[in-house]
Amino acid sequence: MPILETSRLILRPFREDDLDLLAELMANPDFMRFSLGPYTREQTQSVLRKFLSWNQAGLPSQFAVIFRRNNKLIGYCGFLHQQVDGRDETEIGYRLHPDYWGRGLATEAARAMRDHAFSDLKLSRVISLIHPDNLPSRRVAEKNGMRPEKETVFRGFPTRVFAITRERWLAEHAAG
Ligand SMILES: CC(C)(COP(=O)(O)OP(=O)(O)OC[C@H]1O[C@@H](n2cnc3c(N)ncnc32)[C@H](O)[C@@H]1OP(=O)(O)O)[C@@H](O)C(=O)NCCC(=O)NCCS
């Protein structure tokens, strides 16, 4: 997995020794908004194991988001493998520590992931799965060039599917 750089962030593969910092983030109810609530250290460990196993298998995976200015791990952004209404999909997901919200950082990370998905990984499309009440996340998806595709129920929650295809990304890139 490569290391991706944006103007304010470094997006690097997760490592085993990220467990302490990731567990701290995932124990925070704000970080875990619109999900299953705060995670225990054990739950975080199994999430981290999943990301590391995708890394090892050469599959798209989540990246650790490092804020360049202070070199801190402030969240994650990257790929998840989901089945939505019977279809295999690659999702771009993101969560940041609340101290870092509202500065465009999730958008910066999500755009880097989208460009990586299409220019390096050659994926045909990527989606984001978002609770209809999660307005900040919806804005990030929109600013990432995604459009709302449909409403569904995902793991028991009402969910809006946002998507962008490689074709549209290429057309919009060519158009500048
Ligand atoms: C979703 C999340 C990653 C966004 O991070 P962020 O770095 O603050 O996002 P950005 O600053 O790039 O963009 C947020 C956008 O939402 C908007 N926004 C923030 N709060 C809002 C609110 N209450 N109502 C409407 N819009 C809101 C911001 O104004 C901004 O849009 P704009 O650029 O058009 O002004 C962050 O809030 C988070 O980690 N939330 C908890 C986890 C989560 O919900 N993850 C997504 C799961 S699908």
Side-chain angles (χ1 to χ4, degrees), residues 30-34 91 94-97 100-108 129-131 134-137 139-140 143:
D30 289 326
F31 185 85
M32 295 303 282
R33 273 190 82 205
F34 295 104
E91 179 185 11
Y94 30 78
R95 290 184 183 277
L96 295 182
H97 186 282
Y100 297 85
W101 292 357
R103 309 187 202 179
L105 290 170
T107 301
E108 191 169 312
L129 297 171
I130 299 173
H131 190 284
N134 193 348
L135 298 177
S137 184
R139 277 300 293 146
V140 173
K143 290 188 286 178

Short mmCIF file of all heavy atoms in Angstrom, two decimals, residues 30-34 91 94-97 100-108 129-131 134-137 139-140 143, ligand 1:
data_model
loop_
_atom_site.label_atom_id
_atom_site.label_comp_id
_atom_site.label_asym_id
_atom_site.label_seq_id
_atom_site.Cartn_x
_atom_site.Cartn_y
_atom_site.Cartn_z
N ASP A 30 -18.12 10.75 20.01
CA ASP A 30 -18.25 11.67 18.86
C ASP A 30 -17.58 11.08 17.63
O ASP A 30 -18.11 11.15 16.53
CB ASP A 30 -17.64 13.04 19.19
CG ASP A 30 -18.47 13.81 20.19
OD1 ASP A 30 -19.72 13.67 20.14
OD2 ASP A 30 -17.90 14.53 21.02
N PHE A 31 -16.41 10.51 17.84
CA PHE A 31 -15.69 9.86 16.73
C PHE A 31 -16.55 8.76 16.12
O PHE A 31 -16.54 8.53 14.91
CB PHE A 31 -14.37 9.27 17.26
CG PHE A 31 -13.48 8.68 16.19
CD1 PHE A 31 -12.60 9.48 15.47
CD2 PHE A 31 -13.51 7.31 15.92
CE1 PHE A 31 -11.77 8.93 14.51
CE2 PHE A 31 -12.68 6.76 14.95
CZ PHE A 31 -11.80 7.57 14.25
N MET A 32 -17.33 8.08 16.98
CA MET A 32 -18.13 6.93 16.55
C MET A 32 -19.57 7.29 16.22
O MET A 32 -20.41 6.40 16.11
CB MET A 32 -18.09 5.85 17.64
CG MET A 32 -16.70 5.27 17.85
SD MET A 32 -15.99 4.56 16.36
CE MET A 32 -16.89 2.99 16.31
N ARG A 33 -19.87 8.57 16.06
CA ARG A 33 -21.25 8.98 15.74
C ARG A 33 -21.77 8.24 14.52
O ARG A 33 -21.02 7.95 13.58
CB ARG A 33 -21.30 10.48 15.43
CG ARG A 33 -21.47 11.35 16.64
CD ARG A 33 -21.74 12.77 16.22
NE ARG A 33 -23.16 12.94 15.91
CZ ARG A 33 -23.64 13.88 15.09
NH1 ARG A 33 -22.84 14.71 14.49
NH2 ARG A 33 -24.93 13.97 14.87
N PHE A 34 -23.06 7.96 14.50
CA PHE A 34 -23.71 7.27 13.38
C PHE A 34 -23.08 5.91 13.12
O PHE A 34 -22.92 5.49 11.98
CB PHE A 34 -23.69 8.13 12.11
CG PHE A 34 -24.51 9.38 12.26
CD1 PHE A 34 -23.91 10.60 12.46
CD2 PHE A 34 -25.90 9.31 12.23
CE1 PHE A 34 -24.67 11.76 12.62
CE2 PHE A 34 -26.67 10.45 12.39
CZ PHE A 34 -26.06 11.68 12.58
N GLU A 91 -16.47 0.92 -0.42
CA GLU A 91 -16.91 2.17 0.21
C GLU A 91 -15.71 3.01 0.61
O GLU A 91 -14.69 2.47 1.06
CB GLU A 91 -17.74 1.85 1.48
CG GLU A 91 -18.20 3.13 2.17
CD GLU A 91 -18.92 2.92 3.50
OE1 GLU A 91 -18.92 1.81 4.05
OE2 GLU A 91 -19.48 3.92 4.00
N TYR A 94 -14.87 7.47 6.49
CA TYR A 94 -13.98 8.42 7.18
C TYR A 94 -14.51 8.75 8.56
O TYR A 94 -15.72 8.85 8.77
CB TYR A 94 -13.84 9.72 6.36
CG TYR A 94 -15.05 10.07 5.52
CD1 TYR A 94 -16.18 10.64 6.08
CD2 TYR A 94 -15.07 9.79 4.15
CE1 TYR A 94 -17.29 10.96 5.33
CE2 TYR A 94 -16.19 10.08 3.37
CZ TYR A 94 -17.31 10.67 3.97
OH TYR A 94 -18.43 10.96 3.22
N ARG A 95 -13.60 8.90 9.49
CA ARG A 95 -13.91 9.38 10.84
C ARG A 95 -12.71 10.18 11.33
O ARG A 95 -11.57 9.73 11.17
CB ARG A 95 -14.15 8.22 11.82
CG ARG A 95 -15.42 7.48 11.56
CD ARG A 95 -15.75 6.39 12.54
NE ARG A 95 -16.97 5.77 12.04
CZ ARG A 95 -18.20 6.24 12.26
NH1 ARG A 95 -18.38 7.28 13.04
NH2 ARG A 95 -19.24 5.65 11.73
N LEU A 96 -12.99 11.33 11.93
CA LEU A 96 -11.90 12.15 12.48
C LEU A 96 -12.21 12.50 13.93
O LEU A 96 -13.39 12.62 14.31
CB LEU A 96 -11.75 13.46 11.69
CG LEU A 96 -11.33 13.37 10.23
CD1 LEU A 96 -11.20 14.80 9.66
CD2 LEU A 96 -10.02 12.62 10.05
N HIS A 97 -11.16 12.71 14.72
CA HIS A 97 -11.34 13.20 16.09
C HIS A 97 -12.04 14.56 16.03
O HIS A 97 -11.69 15.41 15.19
CB HIS A 97 -9.97 13.34 16.76
CG HIS A 97 -10.07 13.69 18.20
ND1 HIS A 97 -10.36 14.97 18.64
CD2 HIS A 97 -9.96 12.92 19.32
CE1 HIS A 97 -10.42 14.98 19.96
NE2 HIS A 97 -10.18 13.74 20.40
N TYR A 100 -10.73 18.06 15.18
CA TYR A 100 -10.26 18.37 13.83
C TYR A 100 -11.40 18.55 12.84
O TYR A 100 -11.18 18.68 11.64
CB TYR A 100 -9.27 17.28 13.36
CG TYR A 100 -8.04 17.25 14.22
CD1 TYR A 100 -8.02 16.52 15.41
CD2 TYR A 100 -6.92 18.00 13.88
CE1 TYR A 100 -6.91 16.52 16.24
CE2 TYR A 100 -5.80 18.00 14.71
CZ TYR A 100 -5.80 17.26 15.88
OH TYR A 100 -4.70 17.28 16.69
N TRP A 101 -12.65 18.55 13.33
CA TRP A 101 -13.79 18.74 12.44
C TRP A 101 -13.88 20.19 11.95
O TRP A 101 -13.39 21.11 12.62
CB TRP A 101 -15.11 18.42 13.18
CG TRP A 101 -15.30 16.98 13.54
CD1 TRP A 101 -14.49 15.93 13.23
CD2 TRP A 101 -16.39 16.43 14.31
NE1 TRP A 101 -15.01 14.76 13.77
CE2 TRP A 101 -16.17 15.05 14.44
CE3 TRP A 101 -17.52 16.99 14.92
CZ2 TRP A 101 -17.06 14.21 15.13
CZ3 TRP A 101 -18.39 16.16 15.61
CH2 TRP A 101 -18.16 14.78 15.71
N GLY A 102 -14.55 20.35 10.82
CA GLY A 102 -14.91 21.69 10.34
C GLY A 102 -13.77 22.46 9.71
O GLY A 102 -13.85 23.67 9.58
N ARG A 103 -12.73 21.76 9.28
CA ARG A 103 -11.60 22.46 8.63
C ARG A 103 -11.37 21.91 7.22
O ARG A 103 -10.31 22.15 6.63
CB ARG A 103 -10.30 22.22 9.38
CG ARG A 103 -10.33 22.49 10.86
CD ARG A 103 -8.91 22.37 11.37
NE ARG A 103 -8.85 22.10 12.79
CZ ARG A 103 -7.71 21.94 13.45
NH1 ARG A 103 -6.55 22.01 12.79
NH2 ARG A 103 -7.72 21.68 14.74
N GLY A 104 -12.31 21.11 6.74
CA GLY A 104 -12.16 20.55 5.39
C GLY A 104 -11.21 19.35 5.33
O GLY A 104 -10.84 18.91 4.24
N LEU A 105 -10.83 18.83 6.50
CA LEU A 105 -9.83 17.75 6.47
C LEU A 105 -10.41 16.43 5.96
O LEU A 105 -9.73 15.69 5.23
CB LEU A 105 -9.23 17.57 7.88
CG LEU A 105 -8.33 18.72 8.33
CD1 LEU A 105 -7.98 18.57 9.82
CD2 LEU A 105 -7.06 18.79 7.49
N ALA A 106 -11.67 16.12 6.34
CA ALA A 106 -12.26 14.86 5.84
C ALA A 106 -12.41 14.92 4.33
O ALA A 106 -12.16 13.93 3.62
CB ALA A 106 -13.61 14.60 6.51
N THR A 107 -12.80 16.09 3.83
CA THR A 107 -12.93 16.25 2.38
C THR A 107 -11.57 16.05 1.70
O THR A 107 -11.47 15.37 0.67
CB THR A 107 -13.48 17.66 2.06
OG1 THR A 107 -14.75 17.79 2.71
CG2 THR A 107 -13.65 17.86 0.57
N GLU A 108 -10.54 16.64 2.30
CA GLU A 108 -9.19 16.51 1.73
C GLU A 108 -8.76 15.04 1.67
O GLU A 108 -8.23 14.57 0.65
CB GLU A 108 -8.22 17.32 2.61
CG GLU A 108 -6.86 17.53 2.04
CD GLU A 108 -6.07 18.56 2.87
OE1 GLU A 108 -6.61 19.65 3.19
OE2 GLU A 108 -4.91 18.27 3.19
N LEU A 129 -21.69 5.19 2.30
CA LEU A 129 -22.96 4.82 2.93
C LEU A 129 -23.19 5.74 4.11
O LEU A 129 -22.38 5.79 5.04
CB LEU A 129 -22.89 3.37 3.42
CG LEU A 129 -22.69 2.33 2.33
CD1 LEU A 129 -22.41 0.95 2.93
CD2 LEU A 129 -23.91 2.26 1.42
N ILE A 130 -24.29 6.50 4.04
CA ILE A 130 -24.45 7.60 5.01
C ILE A 130 -25.86 7.63 5.59
O ILE A 130 -26.85 7.57 4.84
CB ILE A 130 -24.12 8.95 4.31
CG1 ILE A 130 -22.66 8.90 3.81
CG2 ILE A 130 -24.34 10.13 5.25
CD1 ILE A 130 -22.26 10.07 2.98
N HIS A 131 -25.93 7.75 6.90
CA HIS A 131 -27.23 7.91 7.56
C HIS A 131 -27.84 9.23 7.10
O HIS A 131 -27.14 10.25 7.06
CB HIS A 131 -27.04 7.90 9.09
CG HIS A 131 -28.33 7.82 9.83
ND1 HIS A 131 -29.17 8.91 9.97
CD2 HIS A 131 -28.94 6.79 10.45
CE1 HIS A 131 -30.25 8.54 10.65
NE2 HIS A 131 -30.13 7.25 10.96
N ASN A 134 -26.93 12.40 8.90
CA ASN A 134 -25.51 12.75 9.07
C ASN A 134 -25.10 13.82 8.04
O ASN A 134 -24.46 13.53 7.02
CB ASN A 134 -24.64 11.50 8.94
CG ASN A 134 -23.21 11.73 9.42
OD1 ASN A 134 -22.81 12.88 9.64
ND2 ASN A 134 -22.44 10.66 9.56
N LEU A 135 -25.50 15.07 8.35
CA LEU A 135 -25.30 16.15 7.37
C LEU A 135 -23.84 16.41 7.04
O LEU A 135 -23.49 16.58 5.86
CB LEU A 135 -25.99 17.43 7.85
CG LEU A 135 -27.52 17.29 8.01
CD1 LEU A 135 -28.12 18.59 8.57
CD2 LEU A 135 -28.18 16.94 6.68
N PRO A 136 -22.92 16.46 8.03
CA PRO A 136 -21.51 16.70 7.67
C PRO A 136 -20.97 15.63 6.72
O PRO A 136 -20.29 15.95 5.74
CB PRO A 136 -20.78 16.66 9.01
CG PRO A 136 -21.83 16.95 10.04
CD PRO A 136 -23.12 16.43 9.49
N SER A 137 -21.33 14.38 6.98
CA SER A 137 -20.83 13.30 6.12
C SER A 137 -21.41 13.40 4.71
O SER A 137 -20.73 13.14 3.71
CB SER A 137 -21.18 11.95 6.76
OG SER A 137 -20.62 10.93 6.01
N ARG A 139 -22.20 16.16 3.22
CA ARG A 139 -21.46 17.24 2.55
C ARG A 139 -20.10 16.75 2.06
O ARG A 139 -19.65 17.11 0.97
CB ARG A 139 -21.24 18.43 3.51
CG ARG A 139 -22.39 19.38 3.61
CD ARG A 139 -22.75 20.02 2.28
NE ARG A 139 -21.72 20.91 1.76
CZ ARG A 139 -21.45 21.06 0.46
NH1 ARG A 139 -22.13 20.40 -0.45
NH2 ARG A 139 -20.49 21.88 0.07
N VAL A 140 -19.44 15.93 2.88
CA VAL A 140 -18.13 15.41 2.46
C VAL A 140 -18.31 14.58 1.18
O VAL A 140 -17.55 14.72 0.22
CB VAL A 140 -17.47 14.57 3.58
CG1 VAL A 140 -16.21 13.89 3.07
CG2 VAL A 140 -17.14 15.46 4.78
N LYS A 143 -18.93 16.92 -1.72
CA LYS A 143 -17.71 17.63 -2.11
C LYS A 143 -16.70 16.66 -2.73
O LYS A 143 -15.77 17.07 -3.41
CB LYS A 143 -17.10 18.35 -0.90
CG LYS A 143 -17.94 19.54 -0.44
CD LYS A 143 -17.24 20.38 0.63
CE LYS A 143 -17.24 19.68 1.97
NZ LYS A 143 -16.51 20.47 3.00
C1 LIG B 1 -18.09 13.34 8.97
C2 LIG B 1 -16.73 13.92 9.39
C3 LIG B 1 -15.61 12.95 9.01
C4 LIG B 1 -16.55 15.25 8.66
O1 LIG B 1 -15.24 15.74 8.96
P1 LIG B 1 -14.81 17.26 8.69
O2 LIG B 1 -13.33 17.28 8.52
O3 LIG B 1 -15.42 18.15 9.71
O4 LIG B 1 -15.51 17.53 7.26
P2 LIG B 1 -15.26 18.79 6.30
O5 LIG B 1 -14.80 19.95 7.12
O6 LIG B 1 -14.40 18.34 5.17
O7 LIG B 1 -16.71 19.04 5.72
C5 LIG B 1 -17.85 19.05 6.58
C6 LIG B 1 -19.02 19.73 5.88
O8 LIG B 1 -20.19 19.50 6.66
C7 LIG B 1 -20.76 20.74 6.99
N1 LIG B 1 -21.40 20.62 8.29
C8 LIG B 1 -20.82 20.43 9.49
N2 LIG B 1 -21.75 20.35 10.45
C9 LIG B 1 -22.94 20.46 9.84
C10 LIG B 1 -24.29 20.47 10.28
N3 LIG B 1 -24.59 20.29 11.57
N4 LIG B 1 -25.27 20.63 9.37
C11 LIG B 1 -24.98 20.79 8.07
N5 LIG B 1 -23.71 20.77 7.58
C12 LIG B 1 -22.72 20.63 8.46
C13 LIG B 1 -19.60 21.72 7.01
O9 LIG B 1 -20.06 23.04 6.88
C14 LIG B 1 -18.84 21.23 5.78
O10 LIG B 1 -19.45 21.59 4.57
P3 LIG B 1 -19.04 22.94 3.75
O11 LIG B 1 -17.60 22.77 3.35
O12 LIG B 1 -19.96 22.95 2.60
O13 LIG B 1 -19.21 24.07 4.69
C15 LIG B 1 -16.69 14.19 10.92
O14 LIG B 1 -17.77 15.00 11.25
C16 LIG B 1 -16.74 12.90 11.74
O15 LIG B 1 -15.74 12.24 11.97
N6 LIG B 1 -17.97 12.56 12.19
C17 LIG B 1 -18.19 11.35 13.02
C18 LIG B 1 -18.01 10.10 12.21
C19 LIG B 1 -18.88 10.05 10.98
O16 LIG B 1 -20.04 10.43 11.00
N7 LIG B 1 -18.29 9.56 9.90
C20 LIG B 1 -19.00 9.37 8.66
C21 LIG B 1 -19.77 8.13 8.71
S1 LIG B 1 -20.67 7.91 7.16
#
